[in-house]
Amino acid sequence: MTVAVTAFGTLLAALSACGTGASDPVRVGEVAGPRGQAAQSPMVSTAPTTDPTRIPGIGDRLLRRIPRDSGQVVAVYGKGVDSAESTAVLYTREGPEWRRVASWPAHNGRNGWTTDHYEGDERSPVGVFGLSDAGGVLDDPGTRLPYHQDPDSYAPPNDWDEAHQHDFDYVIAIDYNRRPGTPPDDAARPEGDDRGGGIWLHLDHGDGTAACVSVSKDAMEFLLRTLDPARHPVMVMGDRGELSA
């Protein structure tokens, strides 16, 4: 990663984040989409699944990786292996059964998904990851997750496109190549810098990310107020083909 650490310090080390690489959020000549999803409310459903003891669309390979004590799962269903479009769905466990709580349109890495993520590939990693820490520019909206609020640490640099200036108003760290229990902007990469890191769930800007997952502000507030560390929430994410394998 080539970032002006001396200029932006911990900020850009972590904002490789939505970056997992040195790319700016918007490439030269790229036009960012509108942040039109920001006002959408969650789509709530209580419809039964074919097998209520399984999470829909998640095959045995990834299902086995969900910890037995997890009572909340955010499943991110990618439209395709090379697509930046996806859908995020929150499920909660009630006894042996999983209940669909809410769903939202989402975006993932602008180049799609990968099972072998490297810094700068602009693909989101496929897998099961903890959701242990949160933070952002704005005040804590009432989450039970540890929340690190700091306008300086999470404010994007001024030269980033206007569409991205609110990306990190709220963030939830996705525990890929990071130390759970540290603020989302912690720059440590236990598996090495080449494996990327700083991958977050954050506010959507209407287009693909560098590796993060993005949803509307309403969705972020809903998730922050609903996820409970006592229920060991995790994210299961990937394109639909990999998820169902």
Side-chain angles (χ1 to χ4, degrees), residues 84-117:
E85 297 181 14
S86 51
T87 301
V89 184
L90 173 64
Y91 297 94
T92 61
R93 194 200 301 267
E94 296 180 357
E97 299 183 357
W98 287 99
R99 181 173 69 89
R100 179 185 175 116
V101 177
S103 66
W104 306 270
H107 284 98
N108 50 268
R110 58 176 58 91
N111 288 337
W113 298 91
T114 179
T115 57
D116 189 24
H117 176 66

Side-chain angles (χ1 to χ4, degrees), residues 224-236:
L224 283 165
R225 292 168 180 158
T226 304
L227 295 178
D228 182 355
R231 304 200 70 185
H232 308 285
V234 299
M235 177 173 281
V236 183

Side-chain angles (χ1 to χ4, degrees), residues 20 76 98 129 151-152 164 186 215 242:
T20 78
V76 181
W98 287 99
F129 309 104
D152 295 327
H164 297 263
D186 180 72
V215 293
E242 286 291 339

Side-chain angles (χ1 to χ4, degrees), residues 135-155:
V137 172
L138 301 180
D139 292 339
D140 182 349
T143 185
R144 281 170 282 193
L145 296 171
Y147 191 85
H148 178 240
Q149 189 268 337
D150 188 333
D152 295 327
S153 291
Y154 296 97

